Amino acid sequence: MFIAKNTTTMAYIDANSANVIDKYECPGCGEPVHLKKGNIKIAHYAHKQFGQCHVSTEGESATHLQGKLALFQYFNDRYDEVKLEPWLSEIKQRPDLMVRKGTTWTVIEFQCAPITIESIRERMAGYRQLQLQVIWILGEPYQKKRIQSSTMAKFATLHRKELKIFFWHAQEGIYYKAWWQIDHRKPVNRHKKVDNQVQQLFKIQQAIIQARPQVCAIQKQLYAQNRNVVGIPWICHPAYSLPGGLKIPQWQVTVRIIMLLEHKPITIDAMYQHLFAQEWHEFGCLKLADVQKLWLECFLNDAIKLEKIQFINSRFQLAGTVSWFDNYHDKLKAFQENR
């Protein structure tokens, strides 16, 4: 940590300004801390018995310390005010940084080490009590390997109507990737077509051959209607990437929405109820309902722009009859003819 309390003056002192002959304590747990100040390592404080502190949840590695200082300078050049390790006495938490632009304060949590989703949720609960915006930024250790979807869900933030994960790199500074950019492993613009609908169709065919349980459940339902999974309408393969967060392929949700709309027009609340029943990742920083609402909003907006769905009298309905297909080849041919 960089900030500790002088036990004599009770003032909060940053490690660079601290005197080695004075005594200091942790602002969170009140336990004694050592001032570590030399010519090689960054000046910082360390608990004499770290395990007794419930405020600090990760060891102060050199990467973490250097990153916090770098972020402090980065934000100091861009924001009206920056606080390093401020102590929030109301909730007994100490974020890595807080930045202010105008009257709005944002908490910055810089994460380098592994952390449980329960710990993240606990911190977020405290920040929500103070109605603070929060952004988690992942350090370079998280960038050296492929990030799993479960990890993405821990740290994802809603930013400008996208599900994003923020990163810090010593050379690049702060950058972010939307969930679907990481998921698809190639950067594309939100308003640019994904152009992978044919690939989606091929994956469905593979899933049927492999008899995957989730696909078989949908197939059973469609058989009763004299339909098959491969022949689902092309509207079920969105032309634009949706925000993400699902544990299952998005077509498994979109086809169910289309089938609901074929039955009758439905309200947005009815759609939400249907969406909530699907399989989603566990989120740490976000409320799952907010992720689901964003996903549905993006799907409906795109479908309305493509004139496949209409919103009339407070209900969503199909804009016309959707085409189902008998087999893979007929469906692919229709796609190619309409390009």
Side-chain angles (χ1 to χ4, degrees), residues 1 4-5 7 23-26 29-35 45-50 52:
M1 72 179 74
K5 185 188 291 185
T7 58
K23 293 182 179 180
Y24 302 91
E25 65 181 38
C26 171
C29 65
E31 292 296 319
V33 293
H34 283 300
L35 173 63
Y45 301 99
H47 285 80
K48 292 183 179 180
Q49 293 182 316
F50 178 74
Q52 295 182 5

Side-chain angles (χ1 to χ4, degrees), residues 152 162-165 176-183 188 243:
M152 290 160 54
E162 280 192 316
L163 206 56
K164 297 176 181 176
I165 296 89
Y176 69 82
K177 285 187 177 292
W179 180 295
W180 43 269
Q181 287 177 309
I182 299 174
D183 224 13
V188 293

Side-chain angles (χ1 to χ4, degrees), residues 198-213:
V198 174
Q199 183 182 2
Q200 292 177 39
L201 177 59
F202 178 70
K203 286 184 176 181
I204 291 175
Q205 179 122 313
Q206 284 184 314
I208 294 171
I209 294 171
Q210 295 166 2
R212 294 179 187 172

